[in-house]
Amino acid sequence: MIPEIGHILLIAALVVSFVGSVLPFFDLASKKSYSQSYIKPFSIFLFLLIFFSFLTLIYSFLVDDFSLTYVAENSNTLLPNYFKFAATWGAHEGSLVLWTLCISLWLVAFIYSKKEVDNAFTSVTFGIMSQVIFAFLIFTLLTSNPFERLLPFSPMQGSDLNPSLQDFAFTIHPPLLYMGYSGLALPFSLAVAAMMTNNIESSWARTSRPWSLLSCSFLTLGIGLGSWWAYYELGWGGWWFWDPVENAAFVPWLISIALFHSLIVTEKRGLFKNWSLLLSILSFAASLLGTFLVRSGVLTSVHAFALDPERGLFILGIFAFFIIGSLVIYSLKNYKLSPTSIYDLTSKEFGFLLNNLLLVVLAVSIMFGTLFPILYEAYTQGKQVSVGPPYFNFLIMPFAIGLGLLQGVGLYLGWGQTKNFSFVSRVAIEASVLFIFINIVLYLLFGKFNSSAVIASLLFAWIVAGNFLDIIIRGFQANKLRVFISARLGMIFAHTGIAFLVLGIGVVSSFSSEKELILGPGDSYDLEGYSFKFEEINFQKGPNYSAQVAKINITDQEDTLTLISEKRNYTASNQTTTEAGIIAEVFKDYYVALGENVSNDNWSFRLQIKPFVRWIWFGALLVAIGGFISSLGHLRKGS
Amino acid sequence: MHPLRKQRIYAITAVLIGTSVALILVLNALSKNMNLFYSPTEIIEGVVKNDSLIRAGGMVKEGSIIKSSNSLEVSFVITDFKNSVIVVYEGILPDLFAENAGVVVQGRLGVDGNFLASEVLAKHDENYMPPEVYKILEKQNDS
Amino acid sequence: MNKIIHTVPLVFFGFLVAFLFFSLGNKNDQLESVLIDQNFPNFSLTTLEDANRIIGKEDIVDLPALVNVWATWCITCKVEHPFLMSLKENSVINIYGLNYKDSRDKALITLEQDGNPFIYSIFDKTGSLAMDLGVYGAPETFLIGADGLIKVRHVGALTPVVWEKKFSMFLK
């Protein structure tokens, strides 16, 4: 009964979104304005329909309603309630409802943030968002219905959630990521609405900027969380693998960053209209493409959802409709060369231009590397190839350096031209001091220098000097510290976050230590001056698994730390997983993964020391915080 | 020259230079880091030209896993049911590595015809066979 | 001139979409329909129930019939089990099991406890027959038509909806 209600609610949402999809355009054509009065109630109603539908799905999971195919395939009576709740979005069908719910939430937030909705621009935006919701709802209902019944053949027990997914971080990672992905539909809709209602002057940019930023912030959190999860769950100490699904999130992230920066220029100077329009379309395209890649089976990866070409075709159709559609509108527009302001090579505008370029080219290169295996296979009729991490790692360096350099000085460039270059010497001095300080610390910690770490520390120093230190110092001197900081608090957080991110990556890539070896009880190994001793190993039973639990003691001069690593065998599926033992400190992580029983009591281990690895996620967190501060600040001021 | 024109020239030059540099970087990175994938049959047939970093895959032949009892050396045989290749690896194997399961290895072909693996790759669902392996086995079925 | 530049993104994405569409089409062929309208592969294996009884392709009789790939380690198989039992109880279609990479004892106990929807199960310990069928996991279900050719292959649990959409039309 309840699932049927959920199903009906979704169908109702389909109808409502359909109406919402077409009405604004009728009005646009007939130049009437009556539809605008019901945009607000429409958005709320749509959201509530999808929300309650989603609730019925959650309910079905919590009560173990295995008569629903989706519940039976993704849950189990033994699963703790929290994971049953999260299993709702654990697989394809449920995750689509979550996606759609997120879009409808963005729509409500947008509509209610506007003081007045009685204009063509807002109503067309509403129309396009409704179209996106409609597209996803029809995709869900036709090919991926979570309310499909197994009746009357319901099993007594369900399947299970993959053990490696039964984890807190993994459960909040999808909602955050989907808020980010789906959020990009809003800048997209705003851009298309601007084109359709002849509003491509700067006001649409001012409206769009905080929403782009907010989506990007969610994406940052989602990606950061995914990386952190992969680190402790997969047992290899890696935190990024350039896996197609990771790239599918990273590319929209890069483009959304270019987008909101470009929107600054469009808003403040009326320039870069084409860039901003195209980036709005491109970021949503990247988001849809990412969704497509993950669910269609065209690319395979560690996290791909069920391989289903039929569904892939449907998503491709949605992609084609929105992206090709919006680009057709774009190419049909009349672009009169409106008087444009002049800017020279030292200007903020030029800096933002380079920023746009670097980010977009990087994003395209990453997408190219990700899609290359399919291209190659098609071109050579069957030859298979893989593009591994070295391609991406090699490529990202020059871009990171270019972007980092820009980030240090961006604040000081003037619109049109920079007249005052005094900042150069100031920032250079501040950066040098920081740089020397960091490298002394690094040398004390690791006893050697490494070119990647030096470059990373240079970027860190440069960015922190230009985005934090200098502001503090000047603020102090002018006795206006508070004003200086609060005016650009979001930017300070976000840019400083990037600095920490870069430094963390540079250090962990350069100074990590690793050793794979066999140890018997009582044996120890010295890694970078820390003694890792295999104390003992015991057999233990967990709720749905049995485990071999190894205890390792790590000693440096004074302290001893204890670490546990397990090898688990899940009874139902006979699957083996490794639980790594991790001790996190500010400057490093100790990381031990239990291998297998080599002989008698001897076990293989992978011992690692990962310096500064937490700085990566700390940096990501700062970036997200900065984005939230800035975007929510703009929204409060009113757009 | 009209300042607007100058500006456009700067902008276009920047875009052109940027894109060309990027293109060179990308193609360079790609050619160096593109790893071709070979089936055991292709390896036996001598299709692999040199000792570049490549990938190979197949099913792990039952009973072929030989593990050393005092080191991390392991050897096993991968097969596509027409031909087999011995793989030699030193290190901890992934949890999903098992006999009668698909596996992908990355490394180089040694002079003795054995595959010297630097990495052994396994996917995250034990039901799931690496697609590369699946495809080469399909090819065998057809021929 | 301006106009032409403005259509560049459109052209680019047009090609991208066409290309992805094409690769998907290819994928479609590869995964599920490779064996369609082919003969069921030859094999020589024991049955699960009797380690001394060796059977082959010719022992799959009374067509059309289903061949269902299952194992005790396959949890999703439990989800489709009630439906398979109902197909048997209502004499809708014959079902032969293909016990895939499993333990004989465990498998027999499971059938005893949960019910046996199969006429018998082929015991494919090493997965050799599964390999020939292109199977890469469980559950999977094949339908062998009245003419002896494979008509349908479904990856994943066999649910009433899937049965209705993909399989039911082959019953006469």
Side-chain angles (χ1 to χ4, degrees):
Chain A
M1 186 54 195
I2 304 263
E4 269 66 42
I5 294 177
H7 194 188
I8 291 172
L9 286 172
L10 224 49
I11 297 178
L14 183 72
V15 174
V16 173
S17 63
F18 179 73
V19 175
S21 304
V22 295
L23 263 180
F25 299 98
F26 276 128
D27 291 344
L28 197 64
S30 64
K31 309 224 192 283
K32 283 212 190 117
S33 65
Y34 51 72
S35 72
Q36 285 135 1
S37 59
Y38 54 71
I39 286 179
K40 277 191 174 172
F42 244 67
S43 323
I44 283 271
F45 189 44
L46 193 54
F47 168 72
L48 287 175
L49 285 172
I50 303 175
F51 178 69
F52 282 111
S53 177
F54 193 62
L55 276 186
T56 64
L57 196 57
I58 295 178
Y59 173 80
S60 305
F61 269 92
L62 290 175
V63 299
D64 293 323
D65 186 353
F66 297 127
S67 70
L68 279 183
T69 310
Y70 184 64
V71 179
E73 287 184 339
N74 292 292
S75 184
N76 191 287
T77 54
L78 297 172
L79 218 53
N81 273 338
Y82 176 73
F83 291 125
K84 282 185 195 171
F85 170 69
T88 315
W89 57 77
H92 175 71
E93 293 85 343
S95 72
L96 276 185
V97 182
L98 181 61
W99 227 96
T100 318
L101 183 63
C102 289
I103 305 184
S104 64
L105 184 58
W106 284 108
L107 181 56
V108 169
F110 171 68
I111 296 294
Y112 276 81
S113 74
K114 305 224 89 214
K115 292 202 180 71
E116 29 167 277
V117 295
D118 287 350
N119 52 70
F121 175 60
T122 308
S123 110
V124 172
T125 305
F126 165 82
I128 299 173
M129 287 290 274
S130 299
Q131 287 177 4
V132 177
I133 294 174
F134 175 76
F136 274 87
L137 280 175
I138 209 173
F139 174 54
T140 307
L141 288 166
L142 284 184
T143 73
S144 323
N145 186 2
F147 297 109
E148 192 181 281
R149 289 280 205 179
L150 258 182
L151 277 177
F153 319 105
S154 6
M156 297 302 290
Q157 178 59 282
S159 184
D160 203 3
L161 197 57
N162 192 325
S164 46
L165 304 185
Q166 289 175 33
D167 176 275
F168 172 73
F170 198 75
T171 55
I172 52 174
H173 160 77
L176 288 171
L177 212 49
Y178 291 172
M179 280 299 280
Y181 272 133
S182 62
L184 292 174
L186 191 45
F188 168 79
S189 305
L190 287 166
V192 178
M195 287 193 288
M196 290 181 99
T197 59
N198 284 313
N199 251 324
I200 54 179
E201 297 313 310
S202 46
S203 61
W204 77 272
R206 199 167 63 106
T207 309
S208 181
R209 177 148 75 111
W211 299 105
S212 321
L213 190 47
L214 204 48
S215 308
C216 180
S217 307
F218 276 108
L219 272 180
T220 310
L221 281 180
I223 296 173
L225 210 57
S227 164
W228 179 56
W229 172 82
Y231 174 74
Y232 68 74
E233 181 61 38
L234 298 182
W236 299 82
W239 48 271
W240 191 260
F241 307 90
W242 297 110
D243 182 272
V245 169
E246 290 173 322
N247 297 347
F250 191 53
V251 168
W253 184 77
L254 288 171
I255 301 181
S256 66
I257 292 183
L259 174 59
F260 69 74
H261 283 101
S262 179
L263 284 171
I264 296 176
V265 182
T266 307
E267 176 187 334
K268 299 230 157 99
R269 306 288 281 179
L271 293 167
F272 290 11
K273 290 194 199 105
N274 287 310
W275 273 105
S276 295
L277 286 172
L278 283 175
L279 285 171
S280 305
I281 297 175
L282 196 61
S283 61
F284 187 52
S287 165
L288 286 178
L289 192 60
T291 308
F292 167 76
L293 289 176
V294 174
R295 293 161 198 274
S296 65
V298 154
L299 275 176
T300 37
S301 94
V302 182
H303 344 16
F305 283 94
L307 311 172
D308 197 332
E310 183 194 71
R311 288 168 171 172
L313 274 173
F314 212 109
I315 302 183
L316 195 53
I318 295 179
F319 178 87
F321 175 75
F322 287 107
I323 305 306
I324 304 292
S326 57
L327 286 175
V328 167
I329 295 175
Y330 177 77
S331 35
L332 289 177
K333 287 301 294 175
N334 260 330
Y335 291 92
K336 278 175 289 188
L337 280 159
S338 42
T340 171
S341 37
I342 313 293
Y343 57 86
D344 72 17
L345 285 174
T346 66
S347 65
K348 235 201 229 312
E349 291 93 326
F350 193 68
F352 276 121
L353 178 67
L354 288 178
N355 188 53
N356 276 358
L357 262 176
L358 286 170
L359 285 167
V360 171
V361 173
L362 178 60
V364 171
S365 311
I366 292 175
M367 192 46 98
F368 179 66
T370 311
L371 292 176
F372 186 74
I374 325 176
L375 288 163
Y376 190 80
E377 197 181 337
Y379 187 68
T380 61
Q381 275 150 342
K383 280 226 184 87
Q384 300 186 80
V385 77
S386 68
V387 177
Y391 165 84
F392 298 99
N393 289 329
F394 172 77
L395 212 51
I396 200 169
M397 271 272 263
F399 288 95
I401 293 174
L403 288 164
L405 289 175
L406 273 177
Q407 208 176 42
V409 299
L411 194 55
Y412 304 98
L413 299 176
W415 290 113
Q417 62 170 205
T418 305
K419 293 191 190 127
N420 189 346
F421 283 93
S422 61
F423 71 89
V424 178
S425 47
R426 265 191 356 251
V427 173
I429 295 174
E430 289 153 5
S432 312
V433 170
L434 253 185
F435 175 71
I436 294 173
F437 176 67
I438 293 173
N439 279 285
I440 293 176
V441 171
L442 289 179
Y443 190 76
L444 286 173
L445 286 171
F446 306 111
K448 56 183 180 219
F449 289 116
N450 174 295
S451 53
S452 300
V454 168
I455 296 177
S457 63
L458 183 64
L459 287 176
F460 176 85
W462 184 247
I463 296 173
V464 172
N467 288 280
F468 179 70
L469 257 191
D470 192 67
I471 297 178
I472 304 274
I473 293 174
R474 274 191 307 139
F476 251 144
Q477 290 172 342
N479 245 323
K480 287 193 195 157
L481 186 60
R482 206 156 188 210
V483 173
F484 270 40
I485 293 185
S486 59
R488 34 186 76 88
L489 190 62
M491 191 201 79
I492 295 176
F493 263 97
H495 288 188
T496 310
I498 297 279
F500 276 95
L501 187 75
V502 167
L503 187 60
I505 295 176
V507 173
V508 85
S509 313
S510 318
F511 293 119
S512 288
S513 319
E514 179 182 315
K515 179 74 184 167
E516 283 187 351
L517 79 176
I518 301 175
L519 293 172
D523 292 344
S524 63
Y525 181 81
D526 182 300
L527 188 65
E528 302 298 329
Y530 299 94
S531 171
F532 288 72
K533 182 166 175 220
F534 173 28
E535 294 288 334
E536 58 179 7
I537 188 159
N538 293 305
F539 179 78
Q540 273 178 26
K541 262 204 171 296
N544 52 347
Y545 62 85
S546 62
Q548 291 285 2
V549 180
K551 189 164 118 176
I552 315 278
N553 279 334
I554 304 173
T555 342
D556 65 8
Q557 283 90 22
E558 330 84 27
D559 306 302
T560 304
L561 303 157
T562 307
L563 194 4
I564 305 269
S565 177
E566 300 177 28
K567 200 65 142 186
R568 291 186 184 170
N569 182 281
Y570 285 83
T571 357
S573 56
N574 201 21
Q575 222 179 320
T576 309
T577 64
T578 310
E579 298 295 308
I582 306 176
I583 294 179
E585 295 181 349
V586 174
F587 287 113
K588 64 176 172 298
D589 270 21
Y590 299 98
Y591 193 104
V592 174
L594 180 61
E596 50 182 356
N597 194 344
V598 175
S599 63
N600 308 329
D601 276 334
N602 299 320
W603 285 76
S604 56
F605 287 90
R606 181 180 304 109
L607 310 171
Q608 293 187 68
I609 295 182
K610 318 278 301 178
F612 282 48
V613 72
R614 306 261 145 191
W615 292 43
I616 300 176
W617 308 307
F618 174 67
L621 187 61
L622 286 183
V623 173
I625 291 176
F628 282 118
I629 291 176
S630 196
S631 53
L632 293 174
H634 274 117
L635 287 174
R636 261 190 317 122
K637 270 187 257 162
S639 47
Chain B
M1 195 189 285
H2 194 266
L4 188 63
R5 202 158 204 191
K6 210 195 241 176
Q7 174 180 299
R8 294 191 111 205
I9 291 181
Y10 284 148
I12 294 179
T13 316
V15 173
L16 280 176
I17 295 180
T19 328
S20 323
V21 168
L23 210 61
I24 295 173
L25 273 177
V26 165
L27 291 174
N28 187 35
L30 200 60
S31 60
K32 285 207 195 106
N33 296 298
M34 202 174 85
N35 308 121
L36 289 163
F37 177 87
Y38 297 97
S39 65
T41 298
E42 286 170 322
I43 292 176
I44 296 287
E45 284 173 359
V47 170
V48 183
K49 298 269 174 0
N50 45 32
D51 66 347
S52 49
L53 191 65
I54 56 171
R55 287 191 174 189
M59 297 291 276
V60 179
K61 197 167 183 179
E62 184 164 1
S64 71
I65 303 179
I66 302 173
K67 292 182 188 168
S68 160
S69 55
N70 54 12
S71 79
L72 292 171
E73 281 166 14
V74 62
S75 75
F76 53 93
V77 173
I78 54 172
T79 176
D80 53 14
F81 298 108
K82 256 203 175 161
N83 285 293
S84 311
V85 170
I86 299 175
V87 177
V88 172
Y89 176 67
E90 185 166 357
I92 299 179
L93 292 165
D95 290 328
L96 289 166
F97 175 82
E99 290 177 351
N100 281 320
V103 72
V104 171
V105 289
Q106 182 166 297
R108 294 165 207 274
L109 206 51
V111 272
D112 53 1
N114 289 345
F115 192 93
L116 306 164
S118 49
E119 271 184 75
V120 175
L121 304 154
K123 296 295 180 178
H124 274 273
D125 179 350
E126 33 116 60
N127 278 353
Y128 179 87
M129 186 190 300
E132 302 97 317
V133 176
Y134 181 77
K135 282 177 202 168
I136 55 172
L137 294 173
E138 278 301 300
K139 272 203 205 137
Q140 298 303 17
N141 271 341
D142 292 340
S143 44
Chain C
M1 181 57 192
N2 234 353
K3 202 76 171 203
I4 297 177
I5 297 184
H6 282 115
T7 56
V8 165
L10 175 61
V11 170
F12 174 75
F13 274 95
F15 275 114
L16 182 64
V17 169
F19 172 74
L20 288 172
F21 185 78
F22 172 70
S23 355
L24 255 195
N26 264 348
K27 205 73 181 200
N28 244 331
D29 299 334
Q30 274 169 19
L31 276 182
E32 293 222 337
S33 49
V34 162
L35 285 166
I36 300 304
D37 285 329
Q38 305 266 9
N39 278 306
F40 197 81
N42 280 316
F43 65 94
S44 175
L45 296 166
T46 62
T47 64
L48 180 68
E49 292 79 2
D50 186 354
N52 292 318
R53 179 186 169 200
I54 299 185
I55 48 161
K57 179 168 93 165
E58 57 286 351
D59 293 292
I60 301 180
V61 294
D62 293 329
L63 304 174
L66 292 180
V67 175
N68 174 264
V69 182
W70 70 282
T72 57
W73 47 258
C74 158
I75 313 181
T76 310
C77 296
K78 305 211 194 300
V79 171
E80 64 174 9
H81 191 263
F83 182 61
L84 292 179
M85 290 302 291
S86 84
L87 287 177
K88 174 195 170 181
E89 262 137 46
N90 295 316
S91 301
V92 178
I93 189 169
N94 288 327
I95 315 179
Y96 297 90
L98 202 166
N99 182 253
Y100 178 52
K101 293 187 183 172
D102 209 349
S103 133
R104 195 189 284 274
D105 295 333
K106 273 198 197 162
L108 287 169
I109 293 174
T110 303
L111 289 178
E112 176 78 40
Q113 288 176 339
D114 298 345
N116 188 351
F118 309 116
I119 296 185
Y120 61 76
S121 285
I122 305 165
F123 185 57
D124 192 1
K125 179 103 177 131
T126 60
S128 58
L129 171 57
M131 177 70 20
D132 288 340
L133 283 166
V135 164
Y136 55 84
E140 289 195 34
T141 307
F142 293 82
L143 183 141
I144 307 178
D147 54 5
L149 302 177
I150 297 176
K151 293 298 182 203
V152 185
R153 173 189 173 183
H154 176 70
V155 175
L158 185 62
T159 67
V161 174
V162 170
W163 171 260
E164 196 56 49
K165 265 199 334 201
K166 284 174 150 182
F167 289 80
S168 56
M169 61 279 277
F170 290 99
L171 295 181
K172 282 300 183 310

